[in-house]
Amino acid sequence: MLTVLRHRDYRHLFFAQVVALVGTGLATVALGLLAWDIAGDRAGSVLGTALAIKMVAYVLLAPIVTAVADRLPRRTLLVGSDVLRGGVALALPFVDQVWQVYVLIFVLQAASAAFTPTFQAVIPEVLPDERDYTRALSLARLAYDTESLLSPALAAALLTVTGYNWLFVGTSAGFAASAALVVSAALPKGRRSGGGDRGCTRAKATAGTRLFLATPQLRSLLLMNLAVATAGALVLVNTVVYVRDHLGLTVGDVPIALGAYGAGSMALALLLPAVLDRTGDRAVMLTGTLALPAVFTGAVAVTLAGTGDWRRPVLLATWAAFGAACSAVLTPVGRVIRRTTGPADRAAVFAAQFSLSHACWLAAYPLAGWLGAAFGLPAAVLTLAAVCLASALLAVRAWPARAEGAREAGEGHTRLRTGLSPAGR
C-alpha cells in the first residue's frame, strides 16, 4: 500500500492531509475546553450547536462554494482555504462570547467545505492508475482513523505542559504546513467553466446532486451513506451512554470502545486494496452495507440485556464490526465517483457526495441522541436499525449488477446529464 507514496506529488498531498487532520483533532479538544471557559455547564449545548453549524455549512455550502470557486486555480483555492482555516484557529483563543465561537466555526467549516471536495477531486488526476488510486483511498481511510485515535492522546500530552490555547496554535501550524505542502505539489489544472453568469453558477451548484439522482451507482451511494450514518451516529453519540450508564463501566472504557470502532475500520482499510483488485466496487460496498443491519443485532442484544459480563466484549466486537463495515462502504467511494463522472464534473460530484453524506449524518445524529434521551436507548437503537435495513435494501436495488464497472462516455455525455451547455464549459 505504501508504494503509492513514491509518487512525489501524491506524497506531498497525502502529508498535507495528515497534518491538517492532526491540527483539526487538536482544535476539537481545545474547542471543548474553550466552550467550558465561556459557557461553564452549558458547554455541551455550545458544542452541540457548533456541531450543527458544521453540518449545515457542509450540507449547504459545499456545492455552492465549489461552483463559484470553479473559476479559481485549484492551488489558489486549496491554499486559500488552509490560510483561512489557520487564521480562524488563531482567532479562537481571543473570543469571549458564544456567538463569536459560532461565527468563527461557520467560517472555518465553510473553508473546509471548499477544501475537501476540491482536494478529493484532485487525487484521481494525480494518480490516474486505478491500483494506485485504490491504495491512496485506503491510506486516506487509515489517516482519518489514526487521527481519531492519536490526536486526543497528543492533545492530552500537550496539555500537561501548556494551556489549551496553544492547541489552537498547533491547529494553525497544521493548516500552514498543509498549505506549504500543497504549494510544493504539481497539481493538474483541471477543467473550469468558462461562463460567469448566475444561471451557469446555479446549474453547477446543483449539477453534482442531479448526477447523484440520475446515476444508479450514485443513487445507491446516497442510500449507503444513510446506512453508514445510522451506525456511525449510534457509536459516536451513544458510546458514553452504553459504557457509563448501561454497562456501568469506567471513564477509561469510553476511548477503548471508540478505539474498537476505529480499529475495525483500519483493519478493513488495510485489506481492501487486495480485495478490490479481485472484486468489483459493487460487491465490496453492498456487502459492507448489508452487513450493517446484521451488526445492529449485536447492538440490540447488548441494549436489551439488563445484566451479563458478556455484554462488554460483545459491545467491543459490535463496534469493531461497525467500523469494518463502514470502511468497506466509504473507502471505495472515490473509485465509484471517478468511474461514473467525467473530469469536468468530478469536483461537483465530490462536493455533492460531501454535502449529501453529511446531510445523512445530520439526520442520523438526532435519531441517535434525541430518541435515546426522550424514549430510551432501545427505541433509538431499534429505529436506527430499521432505517439502516431499509437503506441497505434500497441501495442494493438502486445499483443493478449490470451497472458494475460502467463508465460515462465522456464530457459530452456528462453535459447532457447535468444540463450544462457546451458554452458553460
Side-chain angles (χ1 to χ4, degrees):
M1 183 188 300
L2 295 179
T3 56
V4 72
L5 294 175
R6 290 183 295 191
H7 295 262
R8 176 189 177 277
D9 295 326
Y10 171 70
R11 182 171 67 250
H12 287 213
L13 293 174
F14 173 73
F15 285 113
Q17 179 188 33
V18 169
V19 295
L21 283 173
V22 172
T24 302
L26 295 178
T28 300
V29 176
L31 186 62
L33 297 172
L34 174 65
W36 179 264
D37 268 2
I38 294 176
D41 59 4
R42 294 188 298 109
S45 175
V46 172
L47 291 174
T49 303
L51 178 62
I53 289 172
K54 170 184 174 179
M55 290 297 175
V56 169
Y58 283 176
V59 171
L60 297 182
L61 294 185
I64 298 172
V65 172
T66 301
V68 174
D70 185 59
R71 304 183 182 91
L72 298 175
R74 286 169 165 176
R75 192 190 311 277
T76 301
L77 175 60
L78 293 172
V79 173
S81 298
D82 271 338
V83 170
L84 181 57
R85 293 192 292 182
V88 170
L90 288 178
L92 279 168
F94 300 99
V95 305
D96 57 6
Q97 300 292 324
V98 170
W99 69 267
Q100 296 169 344
V101 174
Y102 295 157
V103 170
L104 289 175
I105 291 299
F106 182 82
V107 173
L108 189 150
Q109 303 305 339
S112 293
F115 180 95
T116 303
T118 304
F119 183 89
Q120 291 172 335
V122 165
I123 301 301
E125 296 183 33
V126 172
L127 297 172
D129 181 79
E130 186 165 283
R131 287 172 61 90
D132 288 338
Y133 183 50
T134 300
R135 281 146 183 77
L137 292 174
S138 291
L139 275 179
R141 185 79 250 153
L142 285 171
Y144 278 107
D145 292 333
T146 303
E147 180 277 324
S148 68
L149 296 175
L150 295 185
S151 288
L154 176 61
L158 291 174
L159 287 172
T160 63
V161 296
T162 188
Y164 73 83
N165 282 337
W166 286 99
L167 297 183
F168 288 120
V169 177
T171 298
S172 184
F175 288 133
S178 172
L181 286 164
V182 170
V183 168
S184 68
L187 302 185
K189 290 184 178 179
R191 305 183 186 186
R192 295 176 290 150
S193 61
D197 57 280
R198 292 175 58 191
C200 179
T201 299
R202 285 197 297 269
K204 287 187 68 62
T206 59
T209 300
R210 284 183 281 134
L211 267 174
F212 258 81
L213 298 178
T215 308
Q217 296 94 320
L218 299 181
R219 284 201 304 272
S220 179
L221 176 57
L222 177 57
L223 293 161
M224 286 188 267
N225 283 330
L226 181 56
V228 166
T230 59
L234 177 67
V235 172
L236 296 179
V237 173
N238 287 314
T239 291
V240 67
V241 179
Y242 275 105
V243 171
R244 298 292 287 142
D245 183 47
H246 195 66
L247 302 182
L249 301 175
T250 66
V251 172
D253 286 291
V254 174
I256 291 175
L258 292 172
Y261 177 84
S265 178
M266 294 171 68
L268 204 287
L270 286 170
L271 297 174
L272 271 181
V275 175
L276 289 169
D277 285 344
R278 297 192 302 269
T279 62
D281 299 327
R282 180 181 184 274
V284 170
M285 297 176 73
L286 291 181
T287 297
T289 305
L290 290 171
L292 287 170
V295 176
F296 258 104
T297 60
V300 171
V302 173
T303 305
L304 297 181
T307 59
D309 293 339
W310 59 269
R311 294 178 301 163
R312 182 178 185 274
V314 170
L315 179 71
L316 295 178
T318 300
W319 265 214
F322 270 142
C326 290
S327 185
V329 176
L330 297 177
T331 303
V333 164
R335 285 166 50 105
V336 175
I337 292 176
R338 186 169 77 162
R339 289 180 178 222
T340 54
T341 59
D345 286 302
R346 198 161 286 150
V349 176
F350 271 107
Q353 159 64 11
F354 187 77
S355 174
L356 294 172
S357 63
H358 282 90
C360 294
W361 284 89
L362 189 59
Y365 276 137
L367 289 178
W370 297 347
L371 274 180
F375 301 104
L377 195 56
V381 175
L382 292 172
T383 301
L384 289 168
V387 174
C388 183
L389 177 61
S391 301
L393 295 176
L394 290 173
V396 174
R397 183 176 181 181
W399 190 344
R402 64 180 179 275
E404 171 66 8
R407 296 175 184 268
E408 299 299 339
E411 280 186 82
H413 183 70
T414 304
R415 276 198 295 268
L416 292 175
R417 298 177 75 90
T418 60
L420 295 179
S421 66
R425 290 289 168 202

